[in-house]
């Protein structure tokens, strides 16, 4: 009982308060950004080139509550959110919770696959580069990672799309399922087939940071005194990397990987746009272009919870991977 209360006091309660503060700040900032946008939500609803009368535009504004002052609109929205109602999306004419619920599965599948792939590929490439420091393989991996770091996500996505979907025709150009098929008829292989290119694009962007960081950490480990002592005892490079290297470089690699949740979500927006993948990134783009405030704020809140959860999981895993951190930082 005492242990449970201690955990609640030192971890869960402060984390919950920080998350509430983050969500409030995120809501205010996101709403202020939408209000400062030049996009007219009425034009986004009726179409900028439609010939509707001023009276009809006034009716549309009154129906969606756009005739009220911004502060009043925000307070009304916040009050509904506290009651579990995130509003109606003017873009999809559906409740925001339903839009997010329908698209979150596709986005989580995309980001989950990309996150695992980038972590594994970056970690392996970093180890290979560190072990082969100064050799041809090391120079190739460094050049590859620096080129990826300098290239924007949408450019890499377009390049991959042109090569593998347009020229080679190995994969579909876009969407999450074949055109003309209803959801119940789509097979698991068809979903995976449509997921491969956007997931690969999103994962390859995150490889560079973790590979370069892991490479440097591996070099530091291989130059340490205990590794020199291990070499003097006759241990092979494979044994040194396995026994001393991986455990010491795993923690910073995990740190970077969990810290990349925000970049992962931002990258998914671009990847989903390039491949017309129907996830949250595609929905938030439509919400921004049409001035759909409830949907934009709803996805902003979801992204904040997503990133916060990633950081919280990182803190919990630190204590498992390295108990010394847990002992040194009892409030973490």
């Amino acid at each position: 009982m005492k242990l449970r209360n201690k955990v609640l006091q030192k971890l869960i309660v402060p984390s919950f308060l920080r998350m509430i503060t983050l969500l409030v700040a995120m809501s205010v900032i996101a709403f202020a950004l939408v209000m400062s946008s030049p996009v007219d939500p009425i034009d986004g609803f009726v179409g900028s080139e439609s010939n509707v009368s001023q009276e009809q535009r006034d009716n549309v504004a009154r129906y969606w509550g756009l005739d009220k002052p911004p502060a009043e609109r925000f307070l009304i929205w916040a009050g509904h959110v506290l009651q579990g109602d995130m509003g109606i999306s003017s873009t999809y004419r559906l409740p925001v919770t339903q839009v997010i619920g329908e698209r979150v599965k596709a986005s989580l599948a995309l980001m989950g696959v990309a996150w695992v792939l980038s972590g594994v590929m970056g970690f392996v490439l970093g180890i290979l580069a560190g072990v082969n420091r100064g050799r041809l393989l090391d120079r190739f991996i460094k050049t590859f990672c620096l080129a990826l770091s300098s290239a924007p996500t949408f450019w890499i996505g377009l390049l991959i799309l042109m090569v593998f979907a347009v020229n080679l025709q190995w994969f579909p150009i876009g969407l999450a399922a074949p055109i003309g098929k209803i959801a119940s008829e789509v097979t698991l292989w068809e979903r995976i087939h449509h997921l491969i290119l956007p997931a690969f694009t999103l994962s390859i962007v995150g490889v560079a940071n973790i590979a370069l960081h892991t490479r440097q950490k591996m070099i530091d480990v291989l130059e340490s005194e205990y590794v020199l002592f291990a070499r003097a005892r006759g241990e092979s490079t494979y044994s040194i990397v396995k026994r001393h290297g991986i455990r010491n470089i795993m923690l910073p690699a995990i740190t970077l990987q969990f810290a990349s949740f925000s970049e992962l979500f931002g990258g998914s927006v671009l990847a989903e746009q390039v491949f017309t993948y129907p996830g949250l990134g595609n929905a938030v783009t439509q919400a921004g272009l049409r001035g759909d405030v409830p949907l934009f704020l709803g996805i902003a809140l979801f992204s904040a919870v997503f990133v916060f959860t990633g950081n919280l999981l990182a803190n919990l895993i630190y204590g498992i991977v390295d108990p010394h951190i847990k002992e040194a930082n009892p409030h973490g």
Side-chain angles (χ1 to χ4, degrees):
M1 188 67 178
K2 291 183 178 179
L3 179 62
R4 188 179 65 178
N5 292 335
K6 189 176 180 180
V7 172
L8 287 173
Q9 184 179 2
K10 292 186 176 179
L11 179 62
I12 298 179
V13 174
S15 299
F16 179 75
L17 293 177
R18 284 197 296 270
M19 187 177 72
I20 295 299
T21 306
L22 174 66
L23 293 180
V24 172
M26 174 66 77
S27 302
V28 173
I29 294 173
F31 185 80
L33 289 175
V34 175
M35 288 297 102
S36 62
S37 168
V39 176
D40 185 350
I42 300 178
D43 285 339
F45 182 79
V46 301
S48 58
E49 298 180 358
S50 61
N51 297 319
V52 297
S53 63
Q54 184 59 43
E55 182 181 0
Q56 290 173 315
R57 292 177 64 88
D58 293 341
N59 289 335
V60 171
R62 197 175 304 112
Y63 178 81
W64 292 105
L66 302 174
D67 56 336
K68 296 181 174 62
E72 184 179 351
R73 291 172 56 191
F74 179 77
L75 292 176
I76 292 174
W77 173 83
H80 289 165
V81 169
L82 291 177
Q83 298 174 9
D85 180 11
M86 302 188 78
I88 304 295
S89 167
S90 60
T91 303
Y92 298 97
R93 321 288 170 86
L94 293 171
V96 171
T97 51
Q98 184 177 342
V99 176
I100 293 177
E102 291 175 351
R103 291 171 172 265
V104 70
K105 295 179 182 176
S107 286
L108 289 180
L110 172 64
M111 290 187 288
V113 172
W115 187 77
V116 172
L117 283 178
S118 65
V120 173
M121 288 193 298
F123 194 67
V124 172
L125 288 176
I127 291 176
L128 291 175
V131 172
N132 296 279
R133 180 187 184 188
R135 298 175 183 171
L136 180 61
L137 181 61
D138 178 34
R139 291 199 292 271
F140 173 78
I141 292 175
K142 277 200 304 181
T143 304
F144 176 70
C145 291
L146 292 175
L148 287 181
S149 300
S150 306
T153 305
F154 72 90
W155 184 83
I156 295 177
L158 289 174
L159 189 64
I160 292 175
L161 185 69
M162 290 177 59
V163 173
F164 294 100
V166 177
N167 294 333
L168 299 177
Q169 298 184 354
W170 289 353
F171 300 96
I173 292 178
L175 302 177
I179 298 176
K181 270 195 170 184
I182 60 176
S184 59
E185 296 178 348
V186 180
T187 64
L188 177 61
W189 165 243
E190 288 174 335
R191 294 184 187 279
I192 295 175
H193 196 210
H194 282 74
L195 178 66
I196 291 176
L197 280 191
F200 180 68
T201 301
L202 191 57
S203 65
I204 204 171
V205 174
V207 164
N209 287 339
I210 191 168
L212 293 175
H213 191 80
T214 301
R215 172 188 177 275
Q216 186 57 47
K217 290 296 180 183
M218 177 56 72
I219 291 174
D220 293 342
V221 169
L222 294 179
E223 291 179 347
S224 62
E225 293 183 354
Y226 60 86
V227 168
L228 292 177
F229 180 71
R231 290 188 188 279
R233 289 188 306 179
E235 287 193 38
S236 64
T237 301
Y238 173 77
S239 176
I240 291 172
V241 171
K242 182 180 177 182
R243 296 182 57 187
H244 306 289
I246 291 178
R247 184 174 179 83
N248 286 304
I249 65 176
M250 185 181 294
L251 184 59
I254 291 175
T255 305
L256 269 184
Q257 192 62 1
F258 275 94
S260 68
F261 265 39
S262 58
E263 298 174 4
L264 186 69
F265 197 92
S268 71
V269 175
L270 298 175
E272 290 179 10
Q273 281 300 109
V274 172
F275 294 95
T276 57
Y277 196 78
L280 288 177
N282 195 295
V284 76
T285 303
Q286 294 300 321
L289 292 176
R290 299 190 179 191
D292 189 347
V293 176
L295 182 58
F296 190 86
L297 294 181
I299 297 178
L301 291 181
F302 177 84
S303 66
V305 173
F306 178 77
V307 174
F308 185 87
T309 303
N311 293 332
L312 181 61
L313 288 175
N315 289 333
L316 295 175
I317 292 175
Y318 293 160
I320 297 174
V321 176
D322 189 353
H324 295 90
I325 291 181
K326 188 176 181 180
E327 295 172 0
N329 184 21
H331 300 289

